[in-house]
Amino acid sequence: MEAIKQHQGLVFPLNRANIDTDQIIPKQFLKRIERTGFGQFLFFNWRFDDEGKERADFALNQPKYKNTSVLLAGENFGCGSSREHAPWALLDYGFKVIIAPSFADIFYNNSLKNGIIPIKMEETQLNKWMEQAETGKLVLDINLKEQTITDEEKLVVPFEIPEYHKEKLLNGWDDIALTLQHQEKIEQFESSL
Amino acid sequence: MTKPETIIKKIWDKHVVHQEKGNPDLLYIDQHLIHEVTSPQAFEGLRMNNRTVRRPDLTFATMDHNVPTKDRENIKDEISRKQMETLKKNCEEFGIKLADMFHPDQGIVHVIGPQLGLTQPGKTIVCGDSHTSTHGAFGALAFGIGTSEVEHVLATQTIWQEQPKTMNVHVEGDLGPGVTAKDLILAIIAKFGVKFGTGHIVEYTGAAIRKLSMEGRMTICNMSIEGGARAGLISPDQTTIDFLRGREYVPQGDAYNEIAEQWLALATDEGAEYDATLTIQAAEIEPQVSWGTNPAMCVPISGATPSISDVEHKEDVQRALDYMGLEENQPITSIEIDHVFIGSCTNSRLADLEKAARIVEGKKVKEGIKAIVVPGSFSVKLQAEEAGLDKIFLEAGFEWRNSGCSMCLGMNDDIIPPGGRCASTSNRNFEGRQGNGARTHLVSPEMAAAAAIEGRFVDVRKFVGVLN
């Protein structure tokens, strides 16, 4: 995966709780055997009507959110199906950072494996940014190394992320290569079975 | 005297390959189950990095998500066909056993694991599917993973896992007559919410859990993920041992009795502590019906949809009611349905089909309703046919299909049209889950069967013959 240290991007606010991975990418698009090309199907049933035309009432279709790369969402983001197609679709569409009060466990892990930064943020601050992004345009600057988010008013908000996840994101490390450094221990374990 | 431990801790500690402070543990995986949807990119990753499958002997594959439940010889959907052919090719290339769609062991991955005895107490089991928690019913530590992790397990037979917190969901007392495991798990999620289990592995305990059959326990553990839990499990007991005896992949004869002793010793010790405990009274639970677009949006059959003025998240509730085409304060028994689906990894086992068949026997599916039964595996289908269940369903007006995930997620042709309303024994009522614009109500097999006959939701306890 690609290393990510810092990211500055336009915010898209999606103020709904419990957004499940079926909404992020519906099942009819899970039949592909590649990792790429899923961005066009992101939030498909919310973005497009039955004839495949863009729905005007879904904000992501508005010109002001063009080239957005930071997603703000409600609690329990990414619940439901374990499909990694969800972070693949978000990443392919252009999202590099997702900020929400909480994430479903599997989705949180899947995001990290693909170089997306999932950030847990308490709701008061999140709601302020949500409103700013809904009424105007909001750009946030996310510094993973320093674990801070800076907004346009120069407000600096710290965030938590486990150190080992941070290291992997900063370096874009391949998990399997890291694990294979412990190959001897795996062999030992197997011989003890 | 040693400190009392939970089964969670006991299994975890036995599988730690590498541990260092401040990092997740590297856990050994005893059983890896794969299917066609979440594996192709993992195999591709192996090839790109010139890696191989470390333990093909601990890996087992089947086709379930995409498989047609009618005609399997002529698959119309080219992309589906390609995905299944890719799995076949990958399994051949890497030497993995595959139950393809014509194989007698084929079925939903979470149905065949236990059926074959691949699922065993004390094992760590993973699969690229969130309902892998099903296998926890046997006292296994089983959880769903993403495709990157599937690739990781294929390459290393291990996985990095943070030690999760432990939670005891304690079910006090007994379930009433006609109230099932499905009603219990729906009631648990309705009471505690869709993220009560986040960051936790849940153990279900209490008298009501002990009295459940293995099928019932699988239904409970299956939906742990719907409460956000990393995994859900139940300590093994004699019911577990009796279920697994003689199955293909368990030790046979005296060796089985020996291993059974070890399995029973895994059960949580008296006095073991959990990070959290939740309690629910079994006797208070009625048959449940979901009304909204997540599994916590669920009420007893005697209830009604919520009143907007009473709820905290008004917008979410209104949005769900709008999607579902329902009014606030609408009695559940007034909701008419046009589809019935009996199947899925939650409720497609022989016991589920038997219970549904008892409701429909000698009756007719109400006119205008499309009702299908999709057994969880080839083997379930054969056993059901030997017991004559197919005839009961067919005579009542149900369709009797081949096994697979089918209408639970509609990746094959089994889709509900926009605006269609389904009484479904599956696990998710998300928007569009069973088809774009489709409306899903989660219920037990008995409740789904009764709804098929009446054309609307009814209290199955009023059906003669259903009382235990």
Side-chain angles (χ1 to χ4, degrees):
Chain A
M1 79 185 179
E2 256 177 66
I4 181 164
K5 294 181 170 63
Q6 182 271 341
H7 178 77
Q8 189 180 49
L10 176 70
V11 169
F12 173 62
L14 188 50
N15 198 4
R16 292 178 192 178
N18 304 314
I19 295 173
D20 58 77
T21 54
D22 273 82
Q23 307 317 314
I24 299 173
I25 182 146
K27 73 262 175 175
Q28 62 267 36
F29 307 114
L30 307 184
K31 296 173 185 172
R32 298 158 65 96
I33 56 172
E34 303 85 20
R35 268 176 211 258
T36 51
F38 289 99
Q40 55 188 311
F41 311 123
L42 179 71
F43 298 126
F44 192 83
N45 294 337
W46 289 350
R47 270 165 72 201
F48 303 104
D49 65 16
D50 295 345
E51 275 117 48
K53 288 204 213 79
E54 285 193 356
R55 290 181 198 269
D57 62 348
F58 189 61
L60 194 57
N61 291 330
Q62 293 170 12
K64 79 165 186 171
Y65 294 118
K66 196 168 186 270
N67 297 326
T68 174
S69 59
V70 178
L71 178 65
L72 295 194
E75 63 173 21
N76 200 28
F77 187 80
C79 59
S81 159
S82 61
R83 59 189 69 165
E84 199 161 314
H85 310 68
W88 294 338
L90 286 158
L91 192 65
D92 192 52
Y93 187 87
F95 287 109
K96 307 271 189 209
V97 179
I98 306 169
I99 309 176
S102 58
F103 293 87
D105 290 337
I106 303 178
F107 178 85
Y108 186 78
N109 258 321
N110 284 345
S111 304
L112 291 162
K113 307 277 180 208
N114 290 280
I116 293 177
I117 314 177
I119 298 176
K120 294 177 194 167
M121 179 66 46
E122 56 93 17
E123 277 182 87
T124 323
Q125 182 57 52
L126 189 70
N127 289 341
K128 273 184 209 155
W129 283 336
M130 194 77 84
E131 206 187 316
Q132 287 174 23
E134 278 167 359
T135 51
K137 266 190 165 189
L138 176 69
V139 172
L140 291 177
D141 189 348
I142 293 94
N143 187 325
L144 178 61
K145 197 148 189 281
E146 301 297 328
Q147 294 183 216
T148 56
I149 305 176
T150 309
D151 69 11
E152 288 159 300
E153 292 159 8
K154 298 293 168 211
L155 175 73
V156 181
V157 180
F159 66 87
E160 297 288 323
I161 187 164
E163 193 61 30
Y164 47 87
H165 287 323
K166 182 173 151 181
E167 281 297 300
K168 282 185 196 169
L169 286 170
L170 287 172
N171 296 292
W173 278 334
D174 169 9
D175 245 5
I176 296 176
L178 289 180
T179 305
L180 290 174
Q181 294 173 6
H182 301 289
Q183 187 149 356
E184 246 175 66
K185 281 194 146 180
I186 299 173
E187 281 161 13
Q188 273 169 25
F189 186 94
E190 283 178 333
S191 61
S192 74
L193 288 177
Chain B
M1 203 179 132
T2 53
K3 186 172 171 251
E5 297 286 10
T6 64
I7 180 171
I8 301 164
K9 181 89 167 61
K10 291 185 203 180
I11 300 176
W12 189 281
D13 288 350
K14 280 194 178 120
H15 289 84
V16 175
V17 172
H18 176 77
Q19 198 165 39
E20 65 192 91
K21 206 169 180 288
N23 276 321
D25 292 351
L26 188 62
L27 284 191
Y28 197 77
I29 298 303
D30 297 320
Q31 183 67 55
H32 189 190
L33 302 168
I34 58 178
H35 62 79
E36 76 275 22
V37 178
T38 55
S39 67
Q41 295 88 351
F43 283 111
E44 190 55 28
L46 290 183
R47 270 191 292 268
M48 276 163 55
N49 292 289
N50 220 359
R51 289 171 176 145
T52 186
V53 177
R54 180 172 182 84
R55 295 294 299 264
D57 57 322
L58 301 181
T59 313
F60 191 94
T62 193
M63 298 173 179
D64 54 5
H65 283 64
N66 269 316
V67 295
T69 54
K70 284 187 190 163
D71 181 7
R72 293 198 167 166
E73 305 287 347
N74 305 296
I75 298 176
K76 284 173 281 174
D77 184 337
E78 275 301 309
I79 316 176
S80 279
R81 199 170 52 80
K82 189 170 173 203
Q83 199 170 49
M84 288 187 275
E85 279 171 5
T86 303
L87 179 65
K88 193 157 191 251
K89 198 167 63 73
N90 284 330
C91 288
E92 281 165 6
E93 181 180 340
F94 292 99
I96 295 166
K97 248 187 215 172
L98 166 71
D100 72 10
M101 71 184 133
F102 302 106
H103 194 283
D105 289 338
Q106 185 271 344
I108 305 175
V109 64
H110 309 310
V111 174
I112 63 171
Q115 174 189 300
L116 293 170
L118 287 167
T119 305
Q120 295 172 12
K123 272 192 181 182
T124 48
I125 301 175
V126 294
C127 174
D129 190 284
S130 61
H131 292 111
T132 307
S133 55
T134 312
H135 307 266
F138 293 82
L141 193 55
F143 39 84
I145 55 177
T147 298
S148 294
E149 289 175 313
V150 169
E151 184 180 339
H152 190 279
V153 177
L154 288 172
T156 69
Q157 202 59 31
T158 63
I159 193 166
W160 292 100
Q161 282 286 299
E162 282 169 66
Q163 276 221 21
K165 297 193 186 101
T166 57
M167 179 183 281
N168 178 10
V169 172
H170 187 68
V171 188
E172 268 178 13
D174 293 329
L175 291 170
V179 182
T180 68
K182 181 65 165 287
D183 301 310
L184 172 55
I185 189 63
L186 285 172
I188 289 171
I189 297 165
K191 180 168 178 172
F192 302 117
V194 287
K195 62 186 185 78
F196 78 84
T198 305
H200 289 78
I201 294 179
V202 172
E203 180 177 2
Y204 300 93
T205 65
I209 298 291
R210 285 288 139 230
K211 285 182 187 160
L212 288 176
S213 65
M214 285 318 298
E215 288 84 356
R217 294 179 190 188
M218 284 188 258
T219 301
I220 299 280
C221 290
N222 172 272
M223 288 190 72
S224 301
I225 182 71
E226 265 46 82
R230 200 75 187 86
L233 49 64
I234 293 171
S235 283
D237 59 12
Q238 197 55 44
T239 307
T240 322
I241 304 302
D242 293 344
F243 182 97
L244 286 174
R245 188 185 299 276
R247 293 189 186 261
E248 190 177 342
Y249 287 90
V250 301
Q252 306 293 325
D254 287 345
Y256 187 75
N257 295 331
E258 264 173 55
I259 201 163
E261 285 301 312
Q262 295 170 29
W263 288 345
L264 290 171
L266 288 167
T268 291
D269 301 324
E270 179 111 21
E273 285 176 12
Y274 300 85
D275 295 309
T277 296
L278 301 174
T279 303
I280 190 166
Q281 302 297 329
E284 291 170 8
I285 296 169
E286 289 181 43
Q288 304 282 310
V289 180
S290 76
W291 59 265
T293 53
N294 74 48
M297 291 173 164
C298 190
V299 288
I301 180 68
S302 64
T305 58
S307 165
I308 296 290
S309 60
D310 291 351
V311 295
E312 197 187 334
H313 301 286
K314 296 188 180 6
E315 271 181 38
D316 289 343
V317 169
Q318 188 59 59
R319 213 186 123 73
L321 286 172
D322 290 346
Y323 180 85
M324 293 297 290
L326 299 171
E327 303 290 327
E328 61 175 330
N329 302 313
Q330 186 173 339
I332 295 299
T333 50
S334 74
I335 301 173
E336 294 182 353
I337 47 126
D338 41 54
H339 283 74
V340 174
F341 169 57
I342 297 178
S344 88
C345 58
T346 314
N347 280 125
S348 64
R349 298 175 181 85
L350 188 62
D352 298 314
L353 306 191
E354 280 168 351
K355 286 174 185 163
R358 271 160 66 194
I359 306 289
V360 303
E361 188 161 19
K363 301 190 179 72
K364 291 281 178 205
V365 170
K366 185 143 182 168
E367 213 186 309
I369 290 178
K370 182 182 168 76
I372 69 171
V373 183
V374 182
S377 68
F378 254 144
S379 164
V380 168
K381 182 171 189 251
L382 282 179
Q383 288 176 65
E385 286 170 357
E386 276 165 25
L389 302 187
D390 57 328
K391 288 192 188 66
I392 295 175
F393 283 116
L394 286 165
E395 276 165 21
F398 279 83
E399 293 178 38
W400 180 250
R401 300 286 189 86
N402 287 311
S403 58
C405 299
S406 177
M407 205 179 263
C408 172
L409 84 168
M411 274 193 77
N412 63 0
D413 301 333
D414 305 335
I415 291 173
I416 293 168
R421 189 181 294 285
C422 183
S424 179
T425 67
S426 55
N427 41 55
R428 287 190 176 133
N429 49 347
F430 297 151
E431 286 182 29
R433 175 80 179 177
Q434 296 188 293
N436 192 14
R439 293 154 173 167
T440 304
H441 296 272
L442 303 175
V443 286
S444 70
E446 291 91 324
M447 285 287 284
I453 306 302
E454 299 291 331
R456 62 185 176 89
F457 291 110
V458 291
D459 190 336
V460 72
R461 294 172 297 182
K462 290 177 184 149
F463 271 69
V464 180
V466 70
L467 296 182
N468 301 344

